[in-house]
Amino acid sequence: MTHATARTPEKPAPAAAVPSLDVRDAAVNLGGVKALDGVSLTVESGRLYGLAGPNGSGKSTLLAAISRLLDLTSGSILVGGEDIMRRSPFQVARMGLARTFQTVRLMPQFSVLENAMLGADQSVYGSSFLRQWLMPWWTRSREARVRARAEAALERLHLMDLRDQPPLSLSYGVQRKVEIARALTAEPRLLLLDEPTAGMNRTERDEIGELLLRLRNEGVTQVLVEHDLKMMVDICDHLYVLDSGHLIASGRPTECIREPKVVEAYLGRGRRAAA
Amino acid sequence: MSSWYFSHLTLIQGMLISIPLALSVQIALRSGVFSFASIGFYGVGAYGTGILTMRGWPVLPAMLLMIVASGVVAYLMSAPLIRLRGLYLGMVTFAFDLILTVVATNGGELTGGALGLLGVPLGMGTGGLLAAALVAIVLVSQLERRSVGRALVGIKASEELVMSVGVDLKSRKRTVFAISAALGALSGSLYVSTFSTVSPTSAGFTLIITTLTMAVIGGTSSWIGAVIGTVIITWLPTMAATIGEYQHLVYGVVLVLVVMYAPEGVLGALRWLWRRLAPKVRMARPSGGAALAATGPPGGPPPDRGAEAEAEPVPADRVKG
Amino acid sequence: MTQQMINGAVLCAVYVLFSLGLTLSWGALDVLNLAHGALMMFSAFTAYVVTQHLDLPLALLFVIGVGTAGVCTLLLDVIVFRHIRAKVADKRQSELLTLIAGVGAAGIPVTLAVAYTHDSPFGIGHLDWSSYSLGGGAQISTIQIVIIALGAVLCTALALWVSRTRTGRALRAVAFDGETAELMGVNTRALSAVTMLIAGSLAGLAGMLLVIYLGALTPGSGEPFMLKGFAIIILGSVGSVWGTAIGAVVLAATETVVISQTSGTWVDAISFAIILLVILLRPQGVVGKGLAERV
């Protein structure tokens, strides 16, 4: 492909100030329902964490709280040792946190490439109106830099051929990939993935799994929420299991999913009694 | 040509004056800020400039002062306003426009009561109007490009998304609010120093209808839409002589029809046409079609999942933003 | 003093009738109908046009006026608002388009009235009402009694309708979550039609009472009423019937005091001041909770 030449060489992950995540006694009440109830967990840098649990167990709520889109009722969250409870979502994003959403959020009026570029816009040149008006040469050079980063991300997801397509013309699985590409364009140090492979077929899932492993080896800390337990067991370093807003298990994936509490949460009480 | 120009001078001037106003609404709606406030600031600009120039101020400084003051006031006002949800913001800014009519009517000698200001010194030639309209177009169109443009469209599409990619949502919304107000004030200032008069009704409810029609009929997705809309609305009455006093009725009907059947306006229709024609153009280039085929047929598993998802926001939508 | 209380009560009753319609459609259907004020004026205007040609009894004029506003609002919902709600999935976008369509729709009755009356005041007569002395120089006329009574009765009736009847419960269910309500068998289309018909009729009633009480309205009379409606809704929180009543009392009382103390030209500014104060202090409204929250 001709686009391949535009790809920038992979930057090594910055060694200093790598953030880890520390959730302390987090609780969220949504209209009287305890979506999260006293959850504490830590995420060490450079590793791939899985967050499992049945529907409604609080996984997405926890991701929303970490990205500050949702306020904790009590408790605190630290990123890289810094309390983020008084930070805005955009400030947390600028600390190097990127995320994908459970429901795809792509702009229908933008091309795939532009959607991906959105991920790096702020860290590379922000959205200052004055600069936009007064320094066209400066914004032009930044635009090129953002484009290069977006193209590199699209390349990793094999989406370069689709760069000019409007996202709504693509299948749901491909849209999810664009969603991941946007997060990668931000070159995050901490990446939150909310069901990145929903709607994908087995091959595509394996592809994403391999990608996440490569990212892990590059030093990107990841928290993965996924329905596909097999994928989680295959690739995660560590698994946390939530049920009804509580943390019910934590440990190495293979051991973790055999714990009685986890089996019960997934298969129900009756099933376990029968077993 | 020149006789045509002189016989239509008022219309041409009116059109140039309306462009910044239409842009002021367009930029707000494009960025997901449901605000009619710029139409109120049109009144502020018109009255302010009129009052100042009638007291001996030169036109340009008076205009500049009103534009800057409107922008600053709007920025300060926006702090509590942008916290409001869509309908509330629409309501409050609508109320703001209506209250300014009350203020103008009851302003006594300063605002000339119900008659308004008469005999404001003229200070704008058509050249000046053209320059002002062009400046407004350049400034607004620049905000549709690159990072800034993507962030603003993003605000409208999903606030959670733009926050999660690091856009300072509040600051962006407040700045858009201020720019919109400044554009409104610019338009009002131009009006009063071109036509030498302003009255409470000329900045009232009918102006809201006219301006919204201009912005919406052209399409709010781009500055081009606002300009197209302004041109159409300026020249529409001349095409149908019978419209006359029923002008605003026609605007009202047009506005409702556009909102119902072509919410993207003329621009949207043009884009739609382009999309129909584009594949034929793309046939010439082999790569485009092949790329689509390579990823399998579009709309595989749950095709309407995206739409469903948009309609049902994550709880966070209600808690924040 | 007694006289001012009577004047205030009349004002309050008209405000309640006007605002209930506005708050009902917003609370239940997320429709902020910016044509509400214009249609209030239009009801009186239609009655005025009829009186120009026919000599009808007052009761029939009321039917015509109230019916006009009710049917126009219903048509607006059936033809325009419903179309937008069905077509636009994104809720924010659909709210915005509804708002804009309302502004456009408001232009139609206002322009008609301006063209017909040459933008001058119009009335429908019926100004002679017997007055009763209340002592201390205070008087109350029959029409004042009628207005106050209608305000109180209809407000109570509406509150009971929303809280006690099956339809009212369905309405609150729709306000809380339209889609789920529909799945549970609520006929949302019929319900929204009924709501809009009631909302419009209330505006029409307010317009008819006002034109008789004041003697005349102008084509632009609806706009300051929108301001007042906004202030009342935001005081009482959206969708709440009793909140609306309390908001109307507060606004009417404040206005009556201001009118008695000053020349009264700034009275419309009070509404705006209230709106600003509430937004600065308590964006979610002052009194009670809306339709949805009480389910």
Side-chain angles (χ1 to χ4, degrees):
Chain A
M1 284 305 296
T2 49
H3 307 304
T5 50
R7 199 182 145 183
T8 48
E10 221 50 65
K11 265 196 253 171
V18 185
S20 57
L21 181 67
D22 196 358
V23 178
R24 291 180 186 166
D25 204 21
V28 172
N29 276 344
L30 288 175
V33 180
K34 285 183 176 173
L36 281 184
D37 193 5
V39 171
S40 296
L41 51 84
T42 53
V43 166
E44 282 165 27
S45 51
R47 303 182 72 195
L48 175 47
Y49 285 78
L51 198 55
N55 278 329
S57 58
K59 299 169 306 223
S60 288
T61 308
L62 182 57
L63 290 198
I66 295 169
S67 46
R68 292 292 293 120
L69 294 171
L70 188 72
D71 282 324
L72 288 184
T73 312
S74 66
S76 62
I77 296 174
L78 287 79
V79 171
E82 191 177 344
D83 190 335
I84 58 165
M85 288 297 97
R86 299 190 145 272
R87 304 248 172 185
S88 300
F90 82 90
Q91 290 170 324
V92 178
R94 289 179 187 183
M95 288 168 72
L97 182 143
R99 64 166 297 171
T100 70
F101 289 89
Q102 188 179 4
T103 55
V104 174
R105 299 195 183 196
L106 300 174
M107 315 267 173
Q109 58 271 70
F110 290 165
S111 68
V112 163
L113 179 66
E114 284 171 315
N115 268 293
M117 288 171 75
L118 198 58
D121 275 341
Q122 298 306 310
S123 55
V124 173
Y125 68 124
S127 54
S128 156
F129 289 4
L130 269 184
R131 277 211 189 110
Q132 181 77 6
W133 283 332
L134 302 176
M135 302 166 64
W137 61 90
W138 188 85
T139 54
R140 196 176 304 133
S141 74
R142 295 291 158 134
E143 180 80 354
R145 227 194 278 180
V146 172
R147 174 171 295 129
R149 265 166 73 161
E151 283 174 345
L154 289 179
E155 186 89 336
R156 296 191 80 159
L157 287 143
H158 311 294
L159 292 172
M160 273 307 270
D161 288 349
L162 302 172
R163 62 204 288 273
D164 296 323
Q165 298 290 330
L168 291 189
S169 68
L170 308 172
S171 73
Y172 190 66
V174 178
Q175 289 187 25
R176 295 229 70 116
K177 286 194 192 173
V178 180
E179 178 96 3
I180 299 170
R182 185 186 58 223
L184 290 190
T185 306
E187 295 183 357
R189 289 180 289 175
L190 176 57
L191 179 59
L192 311 180
L193 298 147
D194 201 347
E195 297 195 21
T197 68
M200 289 186 185
N201 60 36
R202 190 76 247 171
T203 340
E204 286 174 313
R205 278 170 192 237
D206 292 343
E207 220 175 84
I208 297 298
E210 276 167 34
L211 174 70
L212 299 187
L213 275 179
R214 274 206 306 276
L215 286 170
R216 171 194 177 277
N217 294 338
E218 286 161 23
V220 180
T221 315
Q222 293 166 82
V223 178
L224 170 68
V225 170
E226 192 46 78
H227 265 305
D228 185 349
L229 270 182
K230 180 179 178 312
M231 176 176 170
M232 297 257 255
V233 172
D234 284 348
I235 67 172
C236 291
D237 297 313
H238 191 107
L239 204 58
Y240 286 115
V241 186
L242 289 176
D243 185 35
S244 315
H246 294 274
L247 186 67
I248 56 167
S250 157
R252 288 177 47 155
T254 40
E255 294 155 16
C256 201
I257 59 160
R258 292 208 178 89
E259 279 187 32
K261 270 180 166 178
V262 176
V263 177
E264 191 177 292
Y266 267 92
L267 303 177
R269 220 169 279 274
R271 187 68 173 271
R272 188 181 159 238
Chain B
M1 183 65 201
S2 79
S3 77
W4 177 89
Y5 171 77
F6 284 112
S7 59
H8 291 88
L9 188 57
T10 313
L11 277 178
I12 294 170
Q13 289 177 332
M15 184 178 78
L16 294 174
I17 291 167
S18 299
I19 284 178
L21 187 60
L23 286 174
S24 76
V25 172
Q26 181 260 330
I27 190 180
L29 295 186
R30 194 181 95 92
S31 316
V33 180
F34 286 13
S35 163
F36 304 132
S38 65
I39 299 164
F41 281 104
Y42 172 95
V44 172
Y47 270 97
T49 307
I51 290 167
L52 288 176
T53 50
M54 283 172 90
R55 278 161 182 66
W57 278 57
V59 172
L60 278 181
M63 276 179 60
L64 271 179
L65 177 68
M66 289 323 296
I67 293 166
V68 172
S70 296
V72 171
V73 169
Y75 188 78
L76 297 176
M77 266 171 60
S78 67
L81 290 186
I82 50 134
R83 283 184 307 155
L84 301 175
R85 281 202 309 123
L87 281 183
Y88 284 89
L89 183 59
M91 180 196 84
V92 172
T93 53
F94 190 77
F96 172 72
D97 296 349
L98 297 181
I99 196 63
L100 284 175
T101 317
V102 176
V103 172
T105 314
N106 297 314
E109 238 172 80
L110 191 66
T111 61
L115 285 178
L117 299 177
L118 298 168
V120 176
L122 294 176
M124 265 295 138
T126 313
L129 297 180
L130 183 64
L134 285 178
V135 168
I137 287 176
V138 168
L139 290 183
V140 171
S141 63
Q142 282 302 309
L143 298 186
E144 292 176 6
R145 306 183 62 207
R146 299 182 182 154
S147 171
V148 169
R150 285 189 288 270
L152 292 186
V153 170
I155 292 176
K156 190 177 177 189
S158 166
E159 297 194 344
E160 288 194 340
L161 169 62
V162 290
M163 287 193 286
S164 79
V165 295
V167 174
D168 185 351
L169 189 72
K170 276 186 189 162
S171 143
R172 288 308 82 187
K173 278 183 157 182
R174 292 185 71 182
T175 317
V176 165
F177 195 82
I179 289 173
S180 170
L183 285 168
L186 165 67
S187 180
S189 306
L190 294 174
Y191 180 88
V192 79
S193 23
T194 306
F195 297 122
S196 124
T197 173
V198 61
S199 68
T201 49
S202 64
F205 188 58
T206 50
L207 187 70
I208 301 183
I209 298 180
T210 314
T211 312
L212 275 180
T213 314
M214 283 177 180
V216 174
I217 196 177
T220 51
S221 61
S222 158
W223 63 273
I224 303 169
V227 174
I228 294 175
T230 311
V231 173
I232 293 176
I233 291 306
T234 308
W235 298 94
L236 191 68
T238 64
M239 311 234 173
T242 47
I243 290 184
E245 56 185 337
Y246 293 100
Q247 193 178 339
H248 290 103
L249 189 149
V250 175
Y251 293 171
V253 173
V254 168
L255 191 53
V256 171
L257 288 179
V258 168
V259 164
M260 285 175 70
Y261 296 105
E264 303 287 311
V266 173
L267 209 57
L270 290 177
R271 289 224 176 95
W272 179 82
L273 263 181
W274 169 244
R275 242 176 273 136
R276 294 237 129 180
L277 296 175
K280 289 173 191 162
V281 180
R282 215 175 282 147
M283 288 290 267
R285 288 184 298 159
S287 64
L292 244 186
T295 55
D304 58 344
R305 182 115 178 238
E308 182 191 302
E310 278 312 312
E312 175 209 358
V314 179
D317 251 356
R318 288 174 209 159
V319 181
K320 277 227 157 189
Chain C
M1 188 59 201
T2 319
Q3 188 65 54
Q4 275 162 20
M5 280 180 70
I6 293 168
N7 294 345
V10 173
L11 208 57
C12 173
V14 175
Y15 288 172
V16 163
L17 293 174
F18 179 81
S19 312
L20 277 178
L22 205 55
T23 201
L24 210 58
S25 59
W26 184 350
L29 312 171
D30 282 323
V31 168
L32 172 52
N33 181 9
L34 290 183
H36 198 72
L39 287 169
M40 177 201 83
M41 178 280 299
F42 198 60
S43 72
F45 170 77
T46 312
Y48 159 73
V49 174
V50 170
T51 56
Q52 297 296 99
H53 301 285
L54 297 167
D55 191 18
L56 295 181
L58 186 59
L60 211 52
L61 282 179
F62 258 87
V63 173
I64 293 172
V66 173
T68 306
V71 171
C72 284
T73 310
L74 176 64
L75 289 179
L76 192 60
D77 185 58
V78 171
I79 300 174
V80 184
F81 295 161
R82 185 173 294 174
H83 179 94
I84 295 171
R85 283 202 295 272
K87 196 169 147 187
V88 185
D90 180 39
K91 185 141 182 288
R92 286 208 304 166
Q93 184 66 10
S94 121
E95 282 178 354
L96 173 68
L97 293 177
T98 305
L99 217 58
I100 295 174
V103 173
I108 299 166
V110 171
T111 315
L112 284 175
V114 167
Y116 191 88
T117 64
H118 303 289
D119 207 0
S120 47
F122 56 85
I124 62 169
H126 298 285
L127 300 173
D128 298 328
W129 299 89
S130 43
S131 289
Y132 310 94
S133 175
L134 296 175
Q139 287 196 323
I140 187 164
S141 67
T142 320
I143 185 71
Q144 285 178 318
I145 297 173
V146 169
I147 293 176
I148 295 171
L150 272 176
V153 168
L154 286 177
C155 184
T156 312
L158 207 64
L160 290 178
W161 182 66
V162 169
S163 62
R164 296 284 163 82
T165 67
R166 208 180 137 77
T167 331
R169 276 198 297 273
L171 190 71
R172 285 184 288 150
V174 170
F176 186 68
D177 183 348
E179 267 178 43
T180 309
E182 190 149 22
L183 284 177
M184 287 159 66
V186 174
N187 185 346
T188 50
R189 302 182 118 218
L191 202 63
S192 83
V194 170
T195 309
M196 293 307 273
L197 186 67
I198 292 177
S201 305
L202 286 170
L205 187 60
M208 290 302 294
L209 293 172
L210 207 60
V211 76
I212 291 171
Y213 177 59
L214 299 176
L217 288 181
T218 67
S221 290
E223 293 155 33
F225 258 80
M226 289 304 281
L227 264 182
K228 296 176 201 295
F230 291 162
I232 289 167
I233 287 186
I234 205 166
L235 266 176
S237 73
V238 173
S240 156
V241 174
W242 292 119
T244 305
I246 294 168
V249 170
V250 171
L251 180 66
T254 320
E255 288 194 352
T256 309
V257 170
V258 169
I259 290 173
S260 68
Q261 303 297 321
T262 69
S263 63
T265 46
W266 288 97
V267 75
D268 286 336
I270 295 168
S271 312
F272 192 66
I274 288 178
I275 294 173
L276 279 189
L277 271 180
V278 175
I279 285 173
L280 287 173
L281 301 178
R282 216 182 122 87
Q284 67 272 43
V286 174
V287 193
K289 285 189 169 175
L291 276 175
E293 285 93 329
R294 280 192 307 187
V295 171

